[in-house]
């Protein structure tokens, strides 16, 4: 793919990623967020976080299956959007639901365990966002950077569990997210096992004694 096309797609992702936020701001300004605007803001930003997390996790399997290696160029932006909406999601909860009170937020976390799971997901995304720049990749070295960025799996799994735990009755939607994530992570596991098997088989047998 040409450099110009990559730049254009990046611009498309950048603009489209901001659309949900723009709609929320617009609807909030026009009092169109329904009977419980605070909850609407929390739920929508939470959903956007999860969607961007899953999209980020989909890049590598898609790239390997299709051979479209250029897809990798969009992974960072998708991941950063996941982090961005995750921060907004937390901020909506912290400000609108908890009135910026740290003690009230912590008390609520002890009461509602899914908040601890959600916070775990968001916290592990912090080092990922910090080390997402080219300079940080260089500084850490590819191997260490890749090892650190496996935390994205933790974030995605914790994000889905958090969603599942907070749903009151109908768990179908969180289960769909769980199934999609299982396929994406399962693909990675299969690739990993296939790669390590021949390496082990090729290794010379240890001499007795
Ligand atoms: C990566 C991190 C996170 C992800 C992926 C995530 C995702 C979600 C999703 C998908 C929902 C439900 C949306 C819906 O039903 O439409 C949700 C709800 C919620 N999340 Fe998160 N979340 C994350 C972190 C957090 C954190 C750090 C907090 C606060 C400490 C939090 C607090 C909440 C609350 C209060 C709700 C609404 C529960 C309710 O209305 O009963 N989340 N989140």
């Amino acid at each position: 793919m040409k450099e110009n096309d990559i730049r254009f797609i990046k611009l498309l992702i950048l603009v489209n990623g901001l659309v949900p936020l723009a709609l929320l701001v617009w609807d909030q300004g026009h009092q169109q967020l329904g009977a419980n605007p605070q909850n609407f803001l929390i739920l929508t930003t939470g959903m956007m976080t999860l969607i961007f997390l899953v999209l980020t996790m989909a890049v590598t399997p898609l790239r390997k299956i299709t051979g479209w290696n250029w897809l990798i160029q969009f992974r960072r932006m998708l991941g950063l959007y996941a982090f961005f909406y995750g921060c907004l999601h937390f901020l909506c909860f912290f400000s609108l639901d908890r009135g910026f009170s740290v003690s009230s937020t912590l008390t609520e976390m002890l009461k509602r365990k899914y908040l601890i799971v959600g916070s775990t997901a968001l916290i592990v995304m912090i080092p990922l966002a910090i080390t997402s720049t080219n300079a940080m990749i260089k500084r850490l070295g590819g191997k260490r950077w890749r090892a650190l960025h496996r935390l994205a799996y933790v974030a995605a799994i914790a994000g889905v569990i958090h969603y599942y735990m907070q749903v009151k009755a109908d768990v179908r939607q969180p289960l769909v997210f769980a199934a999609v994530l299982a396929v994406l992570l399962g693909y990675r596991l299969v690739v990993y096992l296939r790669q390590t098997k021949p390496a082990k088989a090729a290794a010379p047998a240890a001499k007795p004694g």
Side-chain angles (χ1 to χ4, degrees):
M1 180 162 291
K2 285 186 204 140
E3 194 53 41
N4 270 353
D5 295 341
I6 300 272
R7 247 186 261 143
F8 179 68
I9 298 176
K10 276 188 179 169
L11 188 68
L12 271 186
I13 297 174
L14 184 75
V15 173
N16 277 292
L18 287 173
V19 168
L21 176 64
L23 289 175
L24 282 178
V25 172
W26 175 270
D27 283 344
Q28 165 76 350
H30 291 81
Q31 273 114 46
Q32 287 172 358
L33 288 182
N36 190 343
Q38 302 185 358
N39 203 241
F40 191 87
L41 286 168
I42 295 173
L43 294 182
T44 309
T45 48
M47 187 51 80
M48 291 317 300
T49 310
L50 198 55
I51 288 172
F52 275 110
L53 259 178
V54 172
L55 284 177
T56 312
M57 301 302 297
V59 170
T60 298
L62 260 181
R63 179 173 71 90
K64 290 199 171 150
I65 290 168
T66 58
W68 295 344
N69 285 325
W70 44 267
L71 282 173
I72 197 75
Q73 315 226 30
F74 312 122
R75 192 173 59 178
R76 172 169 33 196
M77 199 180 266
L78 293 171
L80 285 174
Y81 261 129
F83 183 62
F84 172 66
Y85 277 105
C87 291
L88 274 183
H89 180 54
F90 173 73
L91 215 65
C92 286
F93 171 71
F94 184 55
S95 58
L96 305 173
D97 202 84
R98 299 289 105 199
F100 291 105
S101 160
V102 175
S103 64
S104 156
T105 303
L106 293 176
T107 314
E108 200 62 16
M109 279 184 176
L110 293 179
K111 260 196 262 167
R112 302 196 250 164
K113 296 289 181 278
Y114 70 84
L115 294 177
I116 297 178
V117 182
S119 300
T120 307
L122 191 58
I123 288 168
V124 299
M125 285 166 81
I126 297 171
L128 302 184
I130 292 173
T131 57
S132 65
T133 60
N134 289 342
M136 281 308 267
I137 299 173
K138 234 180 183 175
R139 210 163 138 187
L140 285 174
K143 213 172 166 188
R144 270 198 292 171
W145 187 88
R146 274 195 299 276
L148 176 71
H149 278 249
R150 288 203 190 104
L151 281 177
Y153 308 155
V154 179
I157 292 169
V160 169
I161 296 175
H162 162 78
Y163 183 19
Y164 179 85
M165 286 172 80
Q166 65 84 47
V167 160
K168 271 104 202 164
D170 189 353
V171 292
R172 274 178 300 176
Q173 208 158 304
L175 286 181
V176 169
F177 272 98
V180 172
L181 193 63
V183 170
L184 297 176
L185 295 183
Y187 176 85
R188 282 177 164 83
L189 187 66
V190 170
V191 170
Y192 172 77
L193 291 177
R194 275 203 190 151
Q195 275 169 356
T196 50
K197 227 181 185 179
K200 269 186 196 157
K207 279 187 191 161

